Amino acid sequence: MTQALMKPDFAVHRPRAVERLINGQFVTDGAGVKINRVLTQNLQRRLDPFLMLDAFGSDKPGDYIAGFPEHPHRGFETISYMITGSMRHRDSAGNEGLITDGGVQWMTAGRGVAHSEMPEQTDGMMEGFQLWLNLPASDKMTAPWYRDIANTEIPRFTTGAGVTVQVIAGASHGVQGAMQRAGTEPLYLDIELPANASFEQLLPPGHNAFVYVFRGQVLIDEKPVPVSRMAILANDPRADGVRIMAAQDSRLILIAGRPLNEPIAQYGPFVMNTQAEVFQAVEDFRAGRFGA
């Protein structure tokens, strides 16, 4: 058989172990939205290039209806993934979009944007995630940009074991995701596993990676990872990926990326490489120079 006709090998031969489990911190943000802040500031170096992960989910409108009124960002990207519910985005450059059930908004704040994210519904379930992805120093002052990705635009596949995978970013088992980023090479998968099913995903040895379980319970290299927990995957240079088995019907996100190994200077919604750049961001925002 010629090389061109050989089936690609997506099997994991030496899986990563779980380094530790993270509980997250329940906080309020925006105008009082209740969220579980899973990836906090003290994990930014360990999980470089990722800066923050918020998980939110409630069927009580009082927990989310106030939303996130206008606020600024500079120096990174936000990836908002709505599992259930609708969120309206407006920004200072006049852009507007609606994220609906299963949809994603990928926003590059770049040199600066002020925007709002407000729920469109007044009743029912609101559930999703917001991930902050750092930008390389060379891209921090790029022009703001965003893309709304409907659920129907997210590539997906189902394995022989009945595992359904949505490929938001990167690639899995030969399926290219909706988004690609050369600098950080992010992988963002939504994986739904029936009880006792297994799934394997290749990961570059140098990439930082984690799993967040939001339904059921899984085993990663035989270590239980319960619902509402993040598992940081060990950076073993000999490992080639992760192997996940569902102890019951489960659903999770798997996220990985190439670390930037650059200084991180953060002041709230501004993430730069030096304190001087952060002070400039604050001054620019106060002077009305964001996304006009």
Side-chain angles (χ1 to χ4, degrees):
M1 182 180 292
T2 65
Q3 184 68 28
L5 296 178
M6 289 179 65
K7 184 178 179 181
D9 182 9
F10 298 115
V12 170
H13 301 286
R14 188 181 179 102
R16 294 194 189 198
V18 173
E19 179 179 296
R20 53 180 156 149
L21 298 180
I22 303 296
N23 290 333
Q25 301 175 4
F26 286 93
V27 300
T28 58
D29 206 342
V33 179
K34 295 182 179 180
I35 57 177
N36 180 15
R37 183 148 293 162
V38 184
L39 198 170
T40 55
Q41 198 163 347
N42 64 342
L43 290 172
Q44 288 177 348
R45 297 307 314 179
R46 173 61 187 85
L47 293 175
D48 176 20
F50 304 105
L51 300 164
M52 188 182 80
L53 175 67
D54 283 347
F56 53 91
S58 177
D59 59 1
K60 300 175 182 177
D63 288 346
Y64 62 75
I65 196 63
F68 302 89
E70 189 171 87
H71 56 283
H73 292 300
R74 173 179 279 184
F76 60 98
E77 299 187 285
T78 65
I79 301 105
S80 302
Y81 180 25
M82 295 299 299
I83 303 297
T84 305
S86 300
M87 192 83 76
R88 173 75 60 181
H89 165 273
R90 291 186 176 91
D91 70 26
S92 52
N95 299 308
E96 182 176 333
L98 181 67
I99 319 171
T100 57
D101 291 353
V104 173
Q105 184 196 75
W106 196 293
M107 184 185 78
T108 303
R111 62 175 173 255
V113 66
H115 76 152
S116 63
E117 298 157 294
M118 304 298 292
E120 287 281 281
Q121 64 205 75
T122 57
D123 198 5
M125 187 70 183
M126 179 76 74
E127 182 181 19
F129 301 96
Q130 187 169 92
L131 177 70
W132 287 15
L133 172 62
N134 207 359
L135 283 168
S138 58
D139 294 338
K140 282 189 175 293
M141 295 299 286
T142 192
W145 172 91
Y146 77 95
R147 176 186 171 194
D148 286 341
I149 307 167
N151 181 254
T152 53
E153 298 177 78
I154 298 174
R156 68 198 68 210
F157 64 92
T158 301
T159 71
V163 178
T164 301
V165 182
Q166 298 184 66
V167 190
I168 295 169
S172 180
H173 294 247
V175 177
Q176 295 295 309
M179 288 293 298
Q180 309 293 327
R181 281 291 183 260
T184 49
E185 300 176 6
L187 173 75
Y188 194 149
L189 306 180
D190 178 340
I191 306 170
E192 193 165 0
L193 305 97
N196 301 315
S198 294
F199 178 76
E200 299 182 357
Q201 174 65 38
L202 294 170
L203 298 172
H207 286 209
N208 291 324
F210 62 91
V211 164
Y212 180 77
V213 178
F214 62 102
R215 300 278 192 279
Q217 177 171 300
V218 302
L219 300 173
I220 298 179
D221 196 34
E222 301 184 352
K223 184 177 180 65
V225 183
V227 70
S228 301
R229 296 292 185 274
M230 177 172 74
I232 297 177
L233 303 182
N235 286 27
D236 181 349
R238 300 165 298 174
D240 60 354
V242 61
R243 185 175 296 146
I244 304 166
M245 191 190 83
Q248 58 195 73
D249 290 352
S250 301
R251 191 172 176 185
L252 57 92
I253 54 174
L254 168 60
I255 294 173
R258 185 181 70 83
L260 294 172
N261 295 315
E262 296 177 350
I264 298 172
Q266 179 176 0
Y267 178 70
F270 310 122
V271 184
M272 304 301 290
N273 297 108
T274 68
Q275 288 299 323
E277 291 170 338
V278 169
F279 294 151
Q280 186 64 53
V282 174
E283 182 178 324
D284 289 345
F285 174 62
R286 289 174 175 169
R289 292 191 284 265
F290 271 30

